[in-house]
Amino acid sequence: MGDLNPLEKRLVRYAEDGVMLDLTDGQDDTSEAEMIAWGADRGVRASVIRDILRGKVSLDSDPHGIRLRGARIIGHLDLAHITAAIPLELRNCYLASGADLSHAVLKSVNLSDCRLSHLKLRDSHVAGQLNASGAVIGNDAGTALNADGLRVFGDLILTGGFTVTGAGESGAVRLLGARISGQLAAKDARISNNTGPAFAADGLQLDGDLFLDGFIAIGAGECGAVRFPGARVGGQVSATGATISNKTGAALAADRLRVGGSLLLRERFTATGAGERGAVVVLGADVGGRLDMTGATISNSTGPAVNADGLQVAEDLLLIKGFTATSGDGHPAIELTGARLGGLSLDVVGIQDFSGSIGTIVVDGLVYGGLPEGPTVADWLSVLADRTPSYKAQPYQQLAAATRAAGHDGDTRKVLMAQRRDQIRRRAVSALSERTWARATGILLGYGYQPWRALIYLFAVLAAAISLAIVAGGHHGGLAHTSRTTTPNSACTTVEQIGVGIDLGLPLIKTTARETCTTTATTAGQTITAAGWTLQALAWALATLFIAGFTGAVRKT
């Protein structure tokens, strides 16, 4: 105690009594400039705090531990590899030389509202809560908060205006491989790094919830501004109203993220990224609840807005109510190749690209439960035909299965017919002969799904044949009684003319009209004969197509 200054002696006594030593005079907000101006009366050497935790200064510290507020910590606070039996609480303190708690084993740590040049928590163990709410950490030369391998058995709190500025490709805030038993709360946090990731949490293991509501992150580089690849969150992830930006890479990189609850990127959530990977990347992610992007704004000037290939969502994927996804020219706005969703709600109006054209969406292999909500079946068919990069059969088959399961057989036929049209239009059928045949069956049979069309055309042929017989045969002398009648060469009756028309326009079905009424040698008679051959050929062809379509002999897809 003889080597301690008066303030340090007070701190020891307060630690023995478990009382907060408050030097702020009740001032909650203190600027960094004011902290820098603090004099010797506010100074506590970092080595003294270390010695108290080690039990070298006081052997009888209260279980409440060190509780200090409004002090200037002189020197580097080196607590690396320390095992302390009491908590450490430094509130509203100024640590110009930063703090190193790497490999330390501590009861709990509270650094709320502190100002630090850097904070190291690599492989440290905190038995209770780690609270850095309101802390400001700035390091222009590297990582500001390094917590790789951190183990927290309570909550990690980074709220209340928690602000970090870092530099370098390693990231401003690092939580690689960290394990947190409680929740991680970073609501309204502000993190920036102009030369690398802002927040890197690769492989994070979080048993509770992750709160990033109002979170603002500015990062740089291909690795992404905010990173959660391979992370696992036992509860939900909420980033409502968060803003993430990266001019040279992904805004949010969450490949293989596992979320036990819902993933909420909604209500003014804004992600601005660049590059071919996408602005929001959730490749192979697995969400146990819903993925809600209602009202989100996601943009990428040089690549996809949302890259969700292989995504799995147990409940619904919601892309509605003001959701916008804007991609770079030539890139799809949303990629959902091989995704599996419990349900899908989509507002296609917000899918666009920077050129002002409608944006495309990749849905090959996408599987969802029920019918897509938002767009009608007709709207969804328009998306598949006009907003996908190329023809793929699976999206149509998925929609057909959904309409069939819902009992909408008419819609199912429309979907399958639309599939065949798209297949032909985009030349997925390469042979000219096959495309020609497909177009013909499309007109005459609805690609085999509407064989009754052939009957309509057959009745049209019949009507044409009857009209021909009446007009050319009756009015122009093309038909006359045969020698078998009592009035040879006289005009046929209207009934007989109709009978001749039926004989010409229907296959298999014949009347006896041709026995009493036949064509003459006149031009009109020759016209009836020649046209009759064509009409009979058409009638036979249409009848054959109807039977083929009805029995399913015509290939439908």
Side-chain angles (χ1 to χ4, degrees):
M1 293 284 286
D3 294 333
L4 304 182
N5 64 37
L7 179 57
E8 293 167 347
K9 291 178 181 179
R10 287 179 62 196
L11 178 61
V12 172
R13 291 195 298 270
Y14 276 60
E16 291 174 343
D17 295 336
V19 178
M20 169 75 74
L21 177 54
D22 189 349
L23 307 177
T24 64
D25 296 327
Q27 296 180 2
D28 293 331
D29 297 325
T30 306
S31 68
E32 186 171 356
E34 291 173 319
M35 288 181 170
I36 293 174
W38 285 344
D41 59 327
R42 303 285 285 267
V44 174
R45 287 174 294 168
S47 59
V48 175
I49 296 175
R50 174 184 172 90
D51 287 342
I52 295 174
L53 289 173
R54 294 178 62 198
K56 291 184 65 177
V57 175
S58 173
L59 299 178
D60 191 26
S61 294
D62 189 89
H64 285 95
I66 298 176
R67 304 181 66 196
L68 177 62
R69 183 177 184 183
R72 177 172 184 167
I73 309 303
I74 302 170
H76 177 54
L77 181 58
D78 183 4
L79 303 181
H81 300 279
I82 277 184
T83 298
I86 58 173
L88 172 63
E89 182 176 348
L90 303 178
R91 291 175 177 262
N92 202 210
C93 292
Y94 182 52
L95 295 87
S97 299
D100 186 355
L101 283 67
S102 302
H103 303 280
V105 179
L106 304 169
K107 294 282 288 183
S108 65
V109 178
N110 190 331
L111 299 174
S112 57
D113 299 314
C114 288
R115 302 293 193 275
L116 305 93
S117 61
H118 65 273
L119 175 60
K120 295 181 180 179
L121 290 162
R122 290 190 59 184
D123 297 311
S124 60
H125 284 220
V126 179
Q129 184 183 86
L130 198 165
N131 188 346
S133 61
V136 177
I137 309 173
N139 184 1
D140 295 333
T143 298
L145 170 57
N146 189 338
D148 293 352
L150 170 68
R151 183 71 170 94
V152 179
F153 292 88
D155 299 327
L156 175 57
I157 309 299
L158 307 175
T159 58
F162 176 79
T163 304
V164 174
T165 303
E169 296 180 355
S170 296
V173 174
R174 291 172 57 90
L175 284 166
L176 275 62
R179 175 70 187 272
I180 301 169
S181 298
Q183 68 177 15
L184 195 169
K187 292 181 178 180
D188 300 316
R190 306 289 188 270
I191 304 174
S192 63
N193 180 357
N194 293 326
T195 54
F199 190 92
D202 307 41
L204 170 70
Q205 303 292 304
L206 177 63
D207 294 344
D209 298 321
L210 172 60
F211 295 106
L212 300 173
D213 305 313
F215 180 85
I216 295 177
I218 301 172
E222 296 180 357
C223 293
V226 175
R227 296 180 46 80
F228 288 101
R232 183 186 63 80
V233 179
Q236 74 170 7
V237 176
S238 178
T240 298
T243 301
I244 307 172
S245 63
N246 182 354
K247 294 181 179 180
T248 54
L252 173 61
D255 314 57
R256 307 178 311 283
L257 171 66
R258 299 291 183 268
V259 181
S262 296
L263 175 55
L264 309 177
L265 310 176
R266 63 194 311 269
E267 294 179 9
R268 301 178 308 282
F269 173 85
T270 303
T272 305
E276 296 187 356
R277 289 199 73 222
V280 171
V281 183
V282 285
L283 289 165
D286 190 338
V287 181
R290 71 184 187 278
L291 174 48
D292 190 347
M293 301 177 75
T294 299
T297 300
I298 303 171
S299 62
N300 182 350
S301 60
T302 57
V306 179
N307 188 343
D309 292 348
L311 170 70
Q312 296 191 51
V313 180
E315 297 179 12
D316 292 344
L317 170 61
L318 305 176
L319 308 174
I320 55 175
K321 295 181 180 178
F323 168 81
T324 59
T326 307
S327 63
D329 297 350
H331 294 274
I334 303 174
E335 295 188 4
L336 287 166
T337 302
R340 302 182 67 87
L341 313 174
L344 175 62
S345 294
L346 175 67
D347 183 357
V348 298
V349 175
I351 301 174
Q352 54 196 0
D353 66 26
F354 273 93
S355 69
S357 303
I358 60 173
T360 59
I361 178 170
V362 180
V363 291
D364 186 28
L366 171 64
V367 177
Y368 47 83
L371 286 168
E373 295 185 11
T376 64
V377 171
D379 292 336
W380 191 238
L381 288 175
S382 177
V383 169
L384 297 182
D386 302 326
R387 289 177 173 250
T388 54
S390 61
Y391 167 78
K392 298 294 182 182
Q394 187 276 337
Y396 287 100
Q397 294 294 316
Q398 167 64 37
L399 182 58
T403 55
R404 187 180 296 112
H408 303 159
D409 293 338
D411 285 338
T412 302
R413 287 189 291 272
K414 291 178 182 178
V415 171
L416 296 174
M417 290 169 63
Q419 176 187 347
R420 188 63 164 155
R421 281 194 298 271
D422 195 21
Q423 183 186 35
I424 297 166
R425 180 176 65 88
R426 301 207 212 189
R427 301 205 170 195
V429 179
S430 57
L432 176 60
S433 58
E434 189 175 350
R435 290 200 303 272
T436 302
W437 170 249
R439 290 191 178 99
T441 57
I443 295 171
L444 299 174
L445 295 173
Y447 305 107
Y449 297 105
Q450 295 177 335
W452 48 263
R453 287 190 181 191
L455 288 181
I456 293 176
Y457 287 108
L458 180 59
F459 288 133
V461 169
L462 176 60
I466 293 173
S467 298
L468 176 66
I470 293 174
V471 174
H475 300 307
H476 296 282
L479 292 175
H481 283 126
T482 65
S483 58
R484 297 181 183 181
T485 64
T486 58
T487 56
N489 299 321
S490 62
C492 298
T493 66
T494 301
V495 173
E496 289 172 327
Q497 293 167 10
I498 292 173
V500 172
I502 292 174
D503 289 343
L504 294 176
L506 284 181
L508 299 178
I509 300 175
K510 298 298 180 183
T511 68
T512 59
R514 299 299 294 274
E515 297 177 3
T516 59
C517 187
T518 188
T519 57
T520 65
T522 64
T523 301
Q526 293 175 354
T527 300
I528 293 173
T529 299
W533 295 337
T534 302
L535 291 171
Q536 285 183 352
L538 286 174
W540 275 102
L542 290 168
T544 302
L545 283 173
F546 169 74
I547 295 171
F550 186 78
T551 59
V554 173
R555 179 175 178 265
K556 297 179 179 179
T557 58

